[in-house]
Amino acid sequence: MEDALMFTNLLFLLSFLIHYVEIIGNNHSLQTDGASCGFWGATFALLIIFEINPSSPANKKVLKKLGATGLKNLWRNIMVNFLQDPIGLQASVLQEFLSLFQDWQGFPDRIDCIGPRPSYMSHPKALPLLEIKTPVIDHNDFQEDHNDFQEVDPKSTAEIDILQLLRLQLLNWVNDEIVNTWLAIMNHRFESSEDFNFWIATSFFFQKLTLWYQQKNGPKKSQEFDKLRRFYQKPINILELNSCFLPIHLPNLQHWLLAVINFDTSSIYLLDSWEPTQQANRKIRDWKKAKGSDIIMILVAWLDAEAASQQVDLYD
Amino acid sequence: MSDEEHQQEVQEPKVEDANATINIKVVSSSGEEVFFKIKRSTKLSKLQGAYASKVGKDVGSIRFLYDGARIQDDDTPASLDMEDNDTIDVMVEQVGGR
């Protein structure tokens, strides 16, 4: 019984090496500016979680129409609601956005609150007040869907600071704080799905994974792998999940992208909104020729190490 | 009689636990290690501040993780159930926009 299980895992891993799928790409880059990859990545993840395919032609059209500015407005609304409402993010805020897409089925179980506010977000650092213009939405069609930022009525000075932080961050580049807040929202959504098991890594996991990957093989590397597994936060068997989501930050390029591992179809997806890295990753489609530092290789090494450590566990 | 009652009310606090110190290793993403010895009841935000000034960084530009989760302002070694020689990971703020 146990041997059979182990064997399945190995087969399953081998099948991974065959598939490498890229959803967004093929010279139809959605991102046209140099400052919105984090927004695109988060939006793709959001859509996938709610079972909307971001690469279907109709949905791509909606995304294109929204553009980077529309997305930034969307995420600003989400963040403001998330931080201001004492119960957390209201489903109605997402409903407005999700209903723009063709395959949106509505919230299955009539959820009102999507995600509670994580406690560390309630300690905002004081930031200097900055005058930043409210961006204009790309297309008039979507104007009515977005509340004006000024209508939000902050309840306390602490919340004003949060709003300043948001303004500052949402209109500029995205940092880990914002990415990991999205993940908190999504994680909450995940927990409410009974027959779909997933794990979302924080933005720091891939960085740790890369450091582990670059080490020489040996006992120290296996020790480090055990430490890496503490990042899972809960007792899960990665290889038996339906999906894994890994936000990936490339420090040298100052770029965000999202890796999705679909265990049901044995596929690794790189969701990337930026042309230059799309091209670089397309080159490694033949993974055997890829150089050591590439994203896919690191992910495959991780899954491989997971399978190997499970064999050890079985023989213990 | 009343003295007895008073004695029952004022129970001795568990001095051992509150004052016990543990060693904590803070590891940066490039692998450099800094060791701290703190009380189990001391807020880790104090350690964060000490680390930041030691390495000469703004505390807002670095992130402290225990088992992959962000350490929050009120966390202490006791509240996180940390053990002696446990490790805290320090990561640098990740900014991206391309």
Side-chain angles (χ1 to χ4, degrees):
Chain A
M1 183 67 186
E2 284 180 346
D3 281 346
L5 182 74
M6 189 183 82
F7 188 57
T8 331
N9 278 343
L10 283 178
L11 268 186
F12 169 76
L13 268 186
L14 283 174
S15 65
F16 256 102
L17 308 179
I18 302 161
H19 298 273
Y20 168 56
V21 190
E22 185 184 299
I23 295 192
I24 314 287
N26 305 326
N27 301 322
H28 296 293
S29 191
L30 283 165
Q31 186 183 340
T32 50
D33 63 350
S36 59
C37 63
F39 297 94
W40 289 106
T43 308
F44 298 155
L46 183 74
L47 293 176
I48 293 170
I49 287 163
F50 289 105
E51 289 164 48
I52 294 168
N53 178 4
S55 60
S56 84
N59 291 336
K60 238 174 161 171
K61 216 170 148 188
V62 177
L63 285 170
K64 227 173 192 154
K65 210 167 180 187
L66 271 172
T69 325
L71 289 193
K72 286 186 180 186
N73 275 304
L74 163 80
W75 282 106
R76 190 185 56 190
N77 278 352
I78 289 178
M79 294 298 288
V80 168
N81 182 265
F82 183 55
L83 293 169
Q84 278 208 318
D85 202 301
I87 66 159
L89 178 66
Q90 302 273 358
S92 56
V93 177
L94 284 183
Q95 172 78 33
E96 265 178 35
F97 170 70
L98 295 171
S99 58
L100 298 173
F101 295 90
Q102 207 184 29
D103 25 4
W104 170 238
Q105 305 286 325
F107 289 106
D109 35 10
R110 295 181 54 85
I111 336 164
D112 295 326
C113 171
I114 302 292
R117 184 166 78 190
S119 56
Y120 63 83
M121 295 297 288
S122 59
H123 302 286
K125 290 167 212 91
L127 280 171
L129 294 175
L130 287 179
E131 276 304 316
I132 297 171
K133 280 183 204 161
T134 311
V136 182
I137 296 149
D138 289 357
H139 299 277
N140 292 334
D141 311 28
F142 295 102
Q143 204 130 30
E144 58 192 27
D145 292 337
H146 298 284
N147 298 320
D148 192 44
F149 193 67
Q150 265 71 38
E151 284 171 22
V152 175
D153 183 27
K155 287 171 193 127
S156 71
T157 48
E159 279 169 352
I160 295 174
D161 286 341
I162 299 178
L163 295 181
Q164 290 304 329
L165 180 77
L166 283 173
R167 269 190 182 191
L168 190 73
Q169 290 181 330
L170 287 185
L171 298 176
N172 289 297
W173 286 11
V174 174
N175 74 356
D176 55 283
E177 198 96 44
I178 299 285
V179 169
N180 290 324
T181 304
W182 288 331
L183 302 184
I185 297 174
M186 291 170 186
N187 246 328
H188 189 76
R189 160 71 188 150
F190 284 2
E191 277 162 16
S192 61
S193 353
E194 277 172 15
D195 45 0
F196 197 49
N197 296 312
F198 8 179
W199 179 63
I200 315 186
T202 70
S203 64
F204 299 111
F205 181 75
F206 188 78
Q207 198 183 333
K208 277 274 166 194
L209 191 64
T210 307
L211 290 170
W212 164 80
Y213 177 78
Q214 287 163 350
Q215 282 180 1
K216 281 182 191 154
N217 286 327
K220 194 168 180 251
K221 191 169 181 175
S222 357
Q223 266 178 27
E224 287 295 314
F225 190 70
D226 290 337
K227 278 190 193 161
L228 196 67
R229 288 174 113 191
R230 289 166 75 169
F231 271 62
Y232 301 165
Q233 305 273 329
K234 48 187 174 185
I236 44 166
N237 183 346
I238 293 286
L239 301 178
E240 285 174 4
L241 298 173
N242 300 94
S243 282
C244 267
F245 292 76
L246 297 98
I248 294 177
H249 180 248
L250 303 175
N252 298 334
L253 296 169
Q254 295 194 304
H255 178 52
W256 288 103
L257 53 101
L258 179 75
V260 182
I261 304 174
N262 183 333
F263 291 93
D264 297 335
T265 60
S266 300
S267 315
I268 296 175
Y269 300 85
L270 290 185
L271 286 85
D272 189 349
S273 57
W274 196 44
E275 188 75 32
T277 45
Q278 280 174 16
Q279 280 178 357
N281 281 313
R282 216 172 289 143
K283 279 184 198 148
I284 64 158
R285 189 171 293 205
D286 187 359
W287 64 274
K288 282 176 189 165
K289 290 178 191 160
K291 291 204 176 107
S293 62
D294 291 308
I295 296 167
I296 297 286
M297 295 300 284
I298 295 173
L299 293 175
V300 168
W302 170 47
L303 298 175
D304 212 12
E306 265 296 326
S309 71
Q310 283 177 21
Q311 289 173 41
V312 175
D313 290 350
L314 288 176
Y315 287 119
D316 271 355
Chain B
M1 189 68 180
S2 63
D3 277 352
E4 265 180 40
E5 274 179 36
H6 184 70
Q7 272 176 7
Q8 277 176 355
E9 275 171 27
V10 188
Q11 285 184 346
E12 274 189 33
K14 287 183 180 173
V15 184
E16 275 179 23
D17 280 354
N19 286 332
T21 59
I22 61 167
N23 296 295
I24 292 176
K25 184 163 77 177
V26 181
V27 186
S28 76
S29 49
S30 51
E32 288 127 15
E33 299 176 347
V34 179
F35 290 86
F36 287 91
K37 190 171 193 168
I38 68 167
K39 284 184 191 167
R40 289 184 59 82
S41 57
T42 304
K43 281 187 186 174
L44 287 164
S45 52
K46 222 170 161 179
L47 178 148
Q48 297 178 13
Y51 178 85
S53 58
K54 183 159 185 155
V55 298
K57 284 202 172 124
D58 175 20
V59 79
S61 73
I62 47 180
R63 314 276 185 252
F64 294 85
L65 310 178
Y66 178 60
D67 283 355
R70 278 289 289 281
I71 292 175
Q72 298 176 12
D73 283 1
D74 292 331
D75 284 336
T76 64
S79 75
L80 293 177
D81 219 8
M82 293 178 86
E83 289 163 12
D84 201 23
N85 298 318
D86 237 334
T87 306
I88 288 178
D89 290 304
V90 183
M91 311 295 273
V92 179
E93 179 183 32
Q94 299 169 318
V95 182
R98 284 189 213 280

